[in-house]
Amino acid sequence: MRVTMPGIEVADHVFTVPLDHADPGGRTIRVFAREIRDPAVTGDLPWALFLQGGPGGKSPRPTGPGHWRHLLRTHRVLLLDQRGTGRSTPVSATGTAEELAAYLRHFRADAIVDDCEHIRKALGVEKWETWGQSYGGFITLTYLSRAPEGLRACHITGGLPGLDATADDVYARTYERVRAKIRRHYERYPGDEEAARRIAEHLAGEEVLLPDGDRLTVERFRTLGMKLGMGDGHERLHWQLTEAWDGDRLADTFLYDVMTETGFVGNPLYAVLHEPIYAQGAATRWAAERLLPEDFGAFGMFTGEMIYPWMFDAIRSLRPFKGAAELLAAAGDWPPLYDPDRLAANEVPVAAVVYHDDMYVDAGLSLETAGRVGNLRVWVTSEFEHDGFRVAADRIVPRLMRMVIDPR
C-alpha cells in the first residue's frame, strides 16, 4: 500500500522470514517495514534503515516529515517493525513455558540483523546505511559483527553497548545514574520528594486498584522514574505527582496514567527480553533485582529502566510470560552478539553520539566500545538526554552524516 501524507510518501512492505535463520525451511514469521520518502525529491535515492530502540519497540509511526526531514532530502528511509513488534507477527504467550522461552530466544539482535539482511536482499539493495537509536545501536554493533558487507555507513544515537558488559555490569552502573537523576529532580522540584513519599505511604497501607484490576503497589509506583532519562521526563513526573490526588484518594486520571505507562500492554517483549539482550554465554539471573541498592527501598525513591521478577506476578499483560521469563533469566548458553576482532578491524564508517548524562546507556561503557571499534568517530555531548534524536534531529542528523563523510 502506498499513501501520501503532508510532506512524505509512505509505502508498506511485508516480508516472510524464517523464525530461525539457521533453519530456513522451518517455521516462518512476518516482518513489516514502512518506507518513507519526500515526494519532492526524485531519482533513485539510497536507502537508510532505521533501527528503533527497545528491545521490543515498534518503529515510529510517521505523521509528516518530522525529525526525518533532513535525512529525507537525500535518502529513502525504511522504518522496521523489528520481529515481534508493531505489524510484524505478534508475540503471544501460548504453549508451555519451555516452548515460549525457546521461541523468544529468536528475538534478540542476532535474529533482527538476519531479518535486515533478508530484507535488504529482497529489496535489491546492494548496501544501505543504518540509523540506530538506543537499542538500535546495539543491533548496529551486532550487524557490523555479522554482516558488514551489507552496510555503507552506520549512525548511532545513544546506543553504543559495552561489548563484554554483563547485565550485572550494566545495572551496577545504571543504579548510580538513576540515583543522580532522582537527586537532580528533587533539587529542581523540592516539593516532589514529600509528594512521592505521601503516595508511597498510602499505597503501602491501602489496597489501590488500577482500572484494569491490577493492584498499584509501591514497587510499581516507583517505576515511574523510568522517564527521568528523557528530555521532558522531570516535568512529566512533576505534573503526575502534583495532580495525583482527588481529596484523600488517588485520582482516577492518575491511576489511568500509571496503568498505561507501566502496563507493557503493547510491548511485553521489552520486559521479557530486557536482561537477555546483555547475555553472552552467562545467565543474567535477574541482575536488576539482585543489585537493587538498599536505599532504593525508601518511599521517596524511584527506579529506572529495570525489569524485576515481581512484575510477572503483578502486571496483567506480563503474567502469561512468567514461566518463560524465569527460564530465560536462568539460561546460561546465550551465543555472543558481538565479534570484538571483527569490530576492531571494521572498515564501515560509523558515527555515534554519546549523551554524557544518559540514564539508560552508560557513557563510560560507550566510550570504551568506541575505542575498540575501527573506523568509528564519536561525539560526546551533555546538551541532550537519551531522546536527543527525537527532539533535536535537525542538529544531530546533519552532524552525524558529516562525521561519516569527512574522516578528519
Side-chain angles (χ1 to χ4, degrees):
M1 182 178 68
R2 189 175 295 272
V3 298
T4 300
M5 297 179 180
I8 58 169
E9 185 177 87
V10 180
D12 294 349
H13 300 272
V14 179
F15 306 90
T16 299
V17 304
L19 172 67
D20 180 358
H21 284 269
D23 181 18
R27 183 176 178 178
T28 62
I29 58 174
R30 181 181 68 254
V31 173
F32 174 83
R34 179 173 284 112
E35 173 191 351
I36 60 173
R37 60 182 301 165
D38 185 338
V41 180
T42 59
D44 188 17
L45 299 176
W47 286 86
L49 170 69
F50 180 71
L51 299 169
Q52 168 68 13
K58 66 182 180 182
S59 207
R61 271 38 188 168
T63 56
H67 54 280
W68 310 106
R69 189 181 308 276
H70 190 93
L71 191 55
L72 290 174
R73 295 172 185 168
T74 54
H75 293 74
R76 63 176 71 180
V77 178
L78 193 70
L79 306 176
L80 177 69
D81 277 358
Q82 299 163 20
R83 53 170 52 198
T85 75
R87 287 177 57 186
S88 296
T89 300
V91 171
S92 58
T94 57
T96 65
E98 291 77 12
E99 291 168 339
L100 182 55
Y103 181 73
L104 292 168
R105 287 175 68 98
H106 297 294
F107 286 78
R108 297 201 309 162
D110 44 6
I112 295 170
V113 167
D114 290 344
D115 289 344
C116 293
E117 278 296 275
H118 179 103
I119 292 168
R120 180 182 66 82
K121 294 170 184 176
L123 291 173
V125 179
E126 181 183 359
K127 293 186 177 186
W128 55 15
E129 300 180 15
T130 62
W131 287 80
Q133 159 64 16
S134 188
Y135 179 61
F138 291 33
I139 298 170
T140 302
L141 269 292
T142 302
Y143 210 147
L144 289 165
S145 297
R146 294 175 70 87
E149 65 277 4
L151 300 171
R152 187 181 308 279
C154 299
H155 313 77
I156 298 172
T157 56
L160 277 179
L163 300 182
D164 309 312
T166 65
D168 282 37
D169 297 329
V170 169
Y171 289 108
R173 295 169 180 247
T174 300
Y175 278 118
E176 293 302 315
R177 297 198 307 278
V178 174
R179 185 182 286 111
K181 294 290 186 182
I182 296 169
R183 187 181 306 118
R184 185 179 306 173
H185 182 84
Y186 289 148
E187 290 171 355
R188 184 180 301 183
Y189 300 109
D192 281 8
E193 184 170 9
E194 178 56 34
R197 183 179 292 111
R198 180 189 174 197
I199 294 171
E201 290 174 347
H202 178 73
L203 295 175
E206 302 285 341
E207 183 181 66
V208 177
L209 299 181
L210 296 170
D212 63 359
D214 282 352
R215 180 175 180 178
L216 177 55
T217 61
V218 175
E219 291 77 16
R220 186 163 176 176
F221 167 66
R222 287 191 181 117
T223 67
L224 294 177
M226 185 184 296
K227 57 178 164 284
L228 291 177
M230 297 298 183
D232 62 353
H234 290 282
E235 285 63 47
R236 288 164 52 203
L237 179 60
H238 172 67
W239 295 123
Q240 275 186 310
L241 296 177
T242 57
E243 299 171 0
W245 294 94
D246 178 8
D248 60 356
R249 60 184 292 273
L250 290 171
D252 290 342
T253 53
F254 172 78
L255 295 176
Y256 180 81
D257 285 346
V258 173
M259 179 191 73
T260 55
E261 187 175 329
T262 65
F264 298 98
V265 173
N267 190 6
L269 279 178
Y270 181 91
V272 176
L273 294 181
H274 204 79
E275 292 196 1
I277 67 171
Y278 300 109
Q280 300 185 89
T284 61
R285 300 185 297 112
W286 299 112
E289 173 76 10
R290 288 187 292 102
L291 296 176
L292 180 68
E294 185 176 346
D295 64 313
F296 275 74
F299 279 155
M301 292 296 286
F302 290 93
T303 53
E305 195 183 34
M306 296 92 175
I307 298 299
Y308 303 101
W310 63 258
M311 293 177 169
F312 294 88
D313 290 310
I315 299 177
R316 177 179 298 267
S317 68
L318 298 183
R319 288 175 201 146
F321 293 92
K322 178 181 178 179
E326 291 175 341
L327 291 171
L328 294 177
D333 58 345
W334 295 100
L337 294 168
Y338 313 115
D339 185 333
D341 293 335
R342 198 168 194 182
L343 290 172
N346 172 61
E347 297 182 353
V348 178
V350 183
V353 55
V354 172
Y355 305 121
H356 183 269
D357 298 320
D358 199 320
M359 190 176 86
Y360 311 112
V361 180
D362 182 72
L365 290 175
S366 293
L367 292 177
E368 178 185 318
T369 294
R372 297 175 62 184
V373 178
N375 209 20
L376 186 152
R377 300 184 67 208
V378 64
W379 165 32
V380 183
T381 178
S382 59
E383 191 173 356
F384 312 108
E385 293 283 357
H386 190 72
D387 56 351
F389 179 79
R390 178 176 62 84
V391 301
D394 59 332
R395 299 174 62 188
I396 290 175
V397 171
R399 179 158 180 171
L400 293 187
M401 292 178 76
R402 289 195 301 270
M403 287 167 64
V404 299
I405 293 172
D406 183 359
R408 291 176 298 175

